[in-house]
């Protein structure tokens, strides 16, 4: 089956989409330049631009790293104290307003907003005033509305009140005129986009990686959960619970290359390396998943039979996370990779590695550990392992939480959903626990460890100060990251509290 990740590799990112970005994916010669009028003349043009709206999802993999490094799940790691400074700041809660990773994530998400806004603006008529009709156009636009909501969701959970615009592509004339909107208004727009997407999207797509009705329902359920709209979350999440998904028996298999877009996948960000990327000046702008390279064991080598590649030893799981798993829980070894134990247990592989990365925990992120056969070209920038963005097990846990916190709680439903997750984790029914809100929150840490949700979960559930206080967490920030200083200097935006 053809995957959208391959289609993304064939799309030239048109200059008309780059109104708010400094990162230009190509520098066309004059003879190849196009104007807006030249496009949106055919179904193929609309399809190509729709795929371009997916592209910035690939650039947001650092949100996953931030979500764990800022929490009790992981530390920044790296070679030394001056390595990956942006993550050291996040790990130590000494974040500067010019943090390069946060600036890049802001820019990437707004690039996505810009592209989706542009295409939505020309749904009915193109720039020449002509209507281009084709079968499936409404469903295609359902994908675009989902993507706009996805970009705004990432912005709001990181920065709180953000600039909301939906009716145009930003241009130079907008600088100095932008204001932050209350996050309640941004959430309302997300809901509007997702409800529209649900109304037109199919339940399945012929091309892997395309947004489905179920993905839109799952994201809407998560948006409701973040706003504590539990009554609204219950029915929309139930639709996904009742969908065609199932839990994979072997948890570790989910994160293999062969496990991509599997029966547990509700939504995955697609990565590829069919056109290898070599630009060290824009390391997140390729089609490969940089987060894979980041979490690998530094200097990891061995015989040809060893399945792993080396990496940069960042985003290291904590011993606290490993200790949170009970004995018999298969998720521990599928989440935390003990390199010393691996070397000891596999003497025939002649394993060597750099013993002590900075802030060494002895553990590495097993879910996205770099593996041989997953990269090409410049290896570090071209891992093709998809980001498992919404899994069925998370939907079950979201549904459990929503049912417990609804105005009319449904304890039985919540218990059933929590049991399903724990039964898979242990391979039996002997480790079930009573479904309470805290039990579901604790289960989210175990099930979704190193998948980027932990910090945002602690913030939205009001646990951040208690859990992270000993690590230096500043409660005055309200769990938000600083608005990039550059945006304040250019547009006069206000800064978040605590910075």
């Amino acid at each position: 089956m053809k995957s959208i990740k391959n289609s993304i590799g064939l799309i030239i990112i048109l200059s008309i989409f780059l109104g708010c970005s400094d990162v230009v994916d190509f520098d066309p010669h004059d003879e190849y330049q196009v104007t807006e009028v030249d496009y949106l003349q055919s179904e193929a043009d609309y399809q190509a631009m729709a795929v371009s709206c997916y592209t910035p999802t690939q650039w947001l993999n650092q949100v996953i790293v931030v979500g764990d490094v800022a929490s009790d799940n992981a530390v920044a790691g790296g070679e030394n104290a001056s390595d990956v400074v942006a993550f050291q700041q996040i790990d130590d809660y000494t974040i500067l307003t010019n943090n390069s990773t946060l600036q890049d994530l802001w820019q990437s998400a707004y690039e996505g907003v810009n592209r989706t806004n542009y295409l939505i603006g020309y749904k009915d008529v193109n720039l020449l005033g002509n209507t281009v009709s084709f079968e499936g156009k409404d469903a295609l636009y359902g994908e675009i509305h989902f993507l706009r909501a996805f970009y705004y969701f990432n912005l709001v959970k990181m920065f709180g009140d953000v600039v909301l615009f939906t009716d145009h592509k930003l241009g130079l004339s907008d600088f100095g005129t932008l204001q932050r909107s209350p996050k309640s208004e941004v959430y309302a727009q997300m809901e509007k986009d997702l409800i529209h997407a649900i109304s037109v999207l199919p339940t399945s797509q012929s091309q892997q990686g395309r947004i489905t009705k179920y993905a839109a329902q799952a994201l809407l359920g998560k948006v409701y959960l973040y706003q504590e709209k539990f009554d609204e979350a219950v029915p929309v999440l139930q639709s996904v619970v009742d969908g065609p998904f199932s839990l994979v028996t072997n948890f570790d298999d989910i994160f293999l290359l062969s496990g991509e877009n599997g029966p547990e996948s509700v939504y995955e960000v697609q990565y590829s390396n069919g056109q290898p990327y070599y630009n060290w000046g824009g390391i997140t702008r390729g089609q490969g998943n940089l987060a894979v390279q980041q979490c690998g064991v530094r200097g990891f080598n061995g015989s040809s039979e060893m399945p792993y590649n080396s990496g940069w030893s960042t985003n290291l799981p904590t011993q606290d996370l490993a200790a949170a798993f009970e004995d018999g829980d298969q998720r521990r070894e599928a989440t935390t990779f003990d390199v010393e134990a691996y070397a000891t247990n596999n003497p025939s592989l002649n394993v060597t590695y750099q013993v002590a990365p900075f802030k060494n925990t002895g553990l590495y992120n097993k879910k996205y550990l770099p593996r041989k056969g997953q990269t090409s070209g410049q290896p570090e920038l071209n891992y093709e392992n998809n980001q498992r963005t919404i899994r069925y097990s998370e939907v079950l846990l979201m549904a459990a939480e929503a049912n417990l916190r609804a105005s009319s709680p449904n304890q039985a439903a919540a218990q059933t959903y929590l049991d399903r997750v724990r039964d898979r984790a242990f391979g039996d029914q002997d480790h079930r626990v009573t479904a309470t809100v805290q039990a579901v929150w604790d289960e989210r840490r175990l099930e979704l460890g190193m998948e980027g949700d932990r910090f945002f979960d602690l913030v939205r559930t009001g646990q951040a100060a208690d859990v992270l206080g000993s690590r230096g967490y500043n409660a005055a920030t309200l769990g938000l990251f600083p608005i990039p200083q550059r945006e304040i200097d250019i547009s006069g935006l206000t800064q978040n509290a605590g910075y």
Side-chain angles (χ1 to χ4, degrees):
M1 181 181 294
K2 186 178 181 183
S3 169
I4 196 172
K5 66 167 66 180
N6 298 319
S7 294
I8 290 175
L10 297 174
I11 298 299
I12 296 175
I13 308 304
L14 302 173
S15 59
I16 59 174
F17 277 132
L18 298 174
C20 68
S21 173
D22 287 338
V23 181
V24 179
D25 295 274
F26 78 116
D27 183 14
H29 299 293
D30 289 344
E31 63 267 31
Y32 296 125
Q33 287 182 346
V34 295
T35 67
E36 295 181 346
V37 178
D38 295 315
Y39 262 77
L40 297 181
Q41 303 298 312
S42 67
E43 176 184 352
D45 292 342
Y46 277 88
Q47 294 285 359
M49 287 190 177
V51 173
S52 289
C53 289
Y54 277 87
T55 302
T57 64
Q58 296 178 321
W59 308 344
L60 291 172
N61 54 66
Q62 300 302 284
V63 175
I64 311 303
V65 184
V66 169
D68 280 303
V69 169
S71 78
D72 52 346
N73 272 5
V75 297
E79 188 172 19
N80 51 52
S82 61
D83 192 17
V84 291
V85 172
F87 287 115
Q88 304 295 353
Q89 292 178 11
I90 292 168
D91 188 7
D92 297 336
Y93 306 105
T94 57
I95 306 171
L96 300 181
T97 58
N98 65 349
N99 183 284
S100 60
T101 294
L102 299 178
Q103 168 67 46
D104 184 67
L105 290 172
W106 173 283
Q107 180 175 308
S108 297
Y110 271 116
E111 181 65 25
V113 170
N114 230 26
R115 295 181 183 201
T116 55
N117 279 353
Y118 180 86
L119 198 53
I120 289 170
Y122 291 107
K123 177 185 177 182
D124 296 324
V125 295
N126 63 18
L127 290 94
L128 297 177
N130 300 322
T131 298
V132 179
S133 299
F134 54 88
E135 185 178 354
K137 187 176 182 181
D138 285 342
L140 180 69
Y141 269 87
E143 299 174 48
I144 306 307
H145 281 276
F146 171 97
L147 290 169
R148 182 164 68 182
F150 180 77
Y151 293 127
Y152 270 124
F153 181 62
N154 279 280
L155 285 164
V156 166
K157 74 179 184 180
M158 294 190 70
F159 302 107
D161 300 345
V162 295
V163 178
L164 174 65
F165 61 102
T166 60
D167 58 350
H168 69 295
K169 175 173 69 76
L170 286 184
L172 292 175
S173 63
D174 291 294
F175 291 148
T177 68
L178 305 175
Q179 298 294 325
R180 298 171 67 187
S181 296
K183 65 180 182 180
S184 60
E185 294 182 11
V186 188
Y187 273 125
Q189 181 59 48
M190 290 182 224
E191 293 177 18
K192 182 179 178 180
D193 276 333
L194 290 169
I195 290 170
H196 173 74
I198 291 166
S199 72
V200 296
L201 280 168
T203 56
S204 63
Q205 296 272 18
S206 60
Q207 193 177 35
Q208 286 184 337
R210 291 275 191 180
I211 305 301
T212 67
K213 184 188 298 287
Y214 293 119
Q217 289 169 325
L219 182 56
L220 179 59
K222 196 165 187 174
V223 166
Y224 282 146
L225 222 60
Y226 268 66
Q227 299 175 85
E228 300 192 345
K229 293 184 176 181
F230 306 115
D231 289 350
E232 292 89 341
V234 168
V236 73
L237 290 170
Q238 188 64 47
S239 296
V240 189
V241 170
D242 295 337
F245 308 101
S246 60
L247 298 178
V248 176
T249 302
N250 186 351
F251 188 84
D252 204 19
D253 289 348
I254 299 169
F255 302 94
L256 298 176
L257 196 62
S258 59
E260 289 184 349
N261 302 307
E264 192 165 334
S265 174
V266 179
Y267 173 55
E268 292 185 15
V269 173
Q270 308 290 304
Y271 287 94
S272 65
N273 53 30
Q275 296 179 333
Y277 185 69
Y278 296 90
N279 183 11
W280 284 98
I283 56 176
T284 64
R285 292 303 189 267
Q287 295 157 31
N289 189 347
L290 178 69
V292 175
Q293 172 65 23
Q294 289 172 303
C295 69
V297 182
R298 189 175 293 270
F300 205 19
N301 289 295
S303 65
S304 59
E305 291 78 18
M306 191 180 79
Y308 302 110
N309 281 342
S310 63
W312 293 343
S313 68
T314 63
N315 192 21
L316 306 176
T318 62
Q319 288 290 339
D320 184 72
L321 172 60
F325 293 97
E326 300 173 50
D327 290 343
D329 190 336
Q330 63 168 308
R331 295 173 300 189
R332 175 190 286 154
E333 290 189 3
T335 304
T336 61
F337 179 77
D338 186 331
V339 66
E340 182 177 354
Y342 180 79
T344 300
N345 294 334
N346 296 276
S348 64
L349 297 181
N350 301 313
V351 174
T352 61
Y353 56 94
Q354 183 172 315
V355 175
F358 185 58
K359 298 181 179 178
N360 181 39
T361 67
L363 302 174
Y364 296 81
N365 182 354
K366 176 68 180 301
K367 289 180 176 178
Y368 291 99
L369 206 64
R371 297 174 184 266
K372 295 176 182 177
Q374 293 184 354
T375 188
S376 64
Q378 184 74 50
E380 299 89 343
L381 304 183
N382 290 287
Y383 279 95
E384 61 177 324
N385 199 344
N386 291 350
Q387 203 75 49
R388 279 61 167 176
T389 306
I390 303 178
R391 295 192 289 111
Y392 184 52
S393 59
E394 182 184 7
V395 174
L396 291 172
L397 293 176
M398 289 194 293
E401 180 178 346
N403 275 282
L404 287 170
R405 303 181 75 185
S407 57
S408 297
N410 187 335
Q411 174 73 30
Q415 188 68 59
T416 297
Y417 303 148
L418 179 60
D419 287 347
R420 291 180 65 181
V421 174
R422 289 187 64 82
D423 290 354
R424 190 269 295 274
F426 290 92
D428 58 42
Q429 299 180 6
D430 300 332
H431 294 80
R432 295 180 175 182
V433 297
T434 300
T436 64
V437 172
Q438 188 62 54
V440 173
W441 289 347
D442 292 344
E443 200 66 30
R444 283 184 63 86
R445 185 190 189 190
L446 303 175
E447 181 69 22
L448 304 174
M450 305 310 291
E451 295 181 51
D453 278 280
R454 177 62 173 172
F455 177 75
F456 304 110
D457 274 347
L458 290 174
V459 171
R460 74 172 180 84
T461 59
Q463 301 177 91
D466 289 340
V467 174
L468 303 177
S470 62
R471 287 173 55 108
Y473 170 75
N474 180 7
T477 64
L478 305 177
L480 299 176
F481 296 99
I483 302 297
Q485 188 63 42
R486 181 178 167 210
E487 306 303 324
I488 293 174
D489 295 340
I490 293 174
S491 298
L493 302 183
T494 58
Q495 184 56 274
N496 281 327
Y499 297 102

